[in-house]
Amino acid sequence: MICHLRKDRQCRLCPIQTVKQASWILLLSLTVVCAQSEKGVTRGSYKPPAVVKSLFGDEVMLAPERKNYATNLATYVANLVSSSDGSKEVLASASRILALSLHLDRRNKQAMVVNFQLAQGVMPQVKSGDYNARTFSRLLMTRAKLLLKGGKENEMLLARYFIDVAAHIDPRNEDAVFECESQRLDFGELNWTMLTGADPPSGEGEGAR
């Protein structure tokens, strides 16, 4: 009688133990998958820009406008990296654009967060910006034209960076592409090291005039 009771109890415990084992296996599998997905989310080498002091201040544009551009540039970077494979070329572009963002607004929250995440090898989350790529490209191009009319050295310098970013954000923006190529012919390759503080890649020109 006692033997029958033991066997009956063991039979009742079997399904519970099986469920527990299956749960542990599933949990372990999910942990491994999550760990693997976190590794290599930014394949390549991200070099954060070394921005000590903002290059563009109130003499170029007022703080609220600079903050708006800085935030939208950082948002574009986050979405660019998130939608890519995190290649070396994408991360280099991200570093340059984030440098521009931080030079416009040194303590911009969006730029600081995305820059930190990339430096830690964390893929930024997709963010909703104020503009889509096409509209933002046109906005940058329009603002660049106004900066060029100002005639001051810093205004013309910022205009060059805005034109370059506008052309690469939306290569279908013919005005931006034309101006980008024209300034490359007139002044040489745009020198991003003024913003990033990094050594220029081989073949990059010094023209930031």
Side-chain angles (χ1 to χ4, degrees):
M1 181 70 176
I2 295 175
C3 292
H4 285 298
L5 289 173
R6 287 179 179 176
K7 288 181 180 180
D8 184 57
R9 184 179 179 184
Q10 289 175 352
C11 290
R12 291 178 181 178
L13 290 175
C14 284
I16 297 175
Q17 292 175 346
T18 302
V19 170
K20 285 184 177 180
Q21 290 174 353
S23 299
W24 277 108
I25 292 173
L26 178 60
L27 180 61
L28 181 61
S29 300
L30 289 173
T31 303
V32 171
V33 170
C34 290
Q36 288 177 343
S37 64
E38 286 294 325
K39 294 180 181 179
V41 290
T42 50
R43 291 189 292 269
S45 177
Y46 177 74
K47 295 182 180 180
V51 180
V52 179
K53 184 179 179 181
S54 298
L55 188 59
F56 307 112
D58 289 340
E59 75 283 355
V60 175
M61 64 177 69
L62 296 179
E65 188 180 10
R66 285 188 284 111
K67 180 179 180 180
N68 181 61
Y69 279 108
T71 299
N72 281 284
L73 286 167
T75 298
Y76 170 76
V77 169
N79 295 335
L80 172 69
V81 177
S82 298
S83 62
S84 72
D85 59 354
S87 66
K88 185 176 180 180
E89 292 74 16
V90 169
L91 293 179
S93 179
S95 179
R96 288 193 290 266
I97 298 176
L98 282 176
L100 176 57
S101 175
L102 291 169
H103 274 287
L104 288 168
D105 182 14
R106 183 61 187 86
R107 292 183 178 271
N108 185 270
K109 180 180 178 180
Q110 191 89 297
M112 293 175 71
V113 169
V114 174
N115 185 53
F116 179 86
Q117 289 174 337
L118 291 177
Q120 296 298 314
V122 177
M123 182 72 76
Q125 293 182 345
V126 175
K127 303 178 184 298
S128 58
D130 296 331
Y131 318 99
N132 58 38
R134 183 180 180 184
T135 302
F136 191 38
S137 174
R138 291 181 175 180
L139 181 63
L140 287 169
M141 190 61 207
T142 300
R143 193 62 178 90
K145 290 179 179 178
L146 292 175
L147 288 167
L148 289 172
K149 289 180 179 179
K152 296 179 182 178
E153 183 177 353
N154 260 20
E155 288 177 320
M156 297 181 71
L157 180 60
L158 180 56
R160 286 203 65 192
Y161 287 118
F162 271 16
I163 291 170
D164 190 273
V165 174
H168 286 86
I169 285 180
D170 181 18
R172 295 182 183 275
N173 185 339
E174 295 184 1
D175 288 340
V177 172
F178 175 75
E179 291 298 331
C180 181
E181 287 298 288
S182 294
Q183 68 182 15
R184 183 179 64 83
L185 293 173
D186 293 338
F187 307 113
E189 295 292 341
L190 187 58
N191 183 3
W192 282 94
T193 61
M194 290 183 64
L195 301 187
T196 63
D199 295 329
S202 58
E204 182 173 303
E206 293 298 321
R209 298 177 288 277

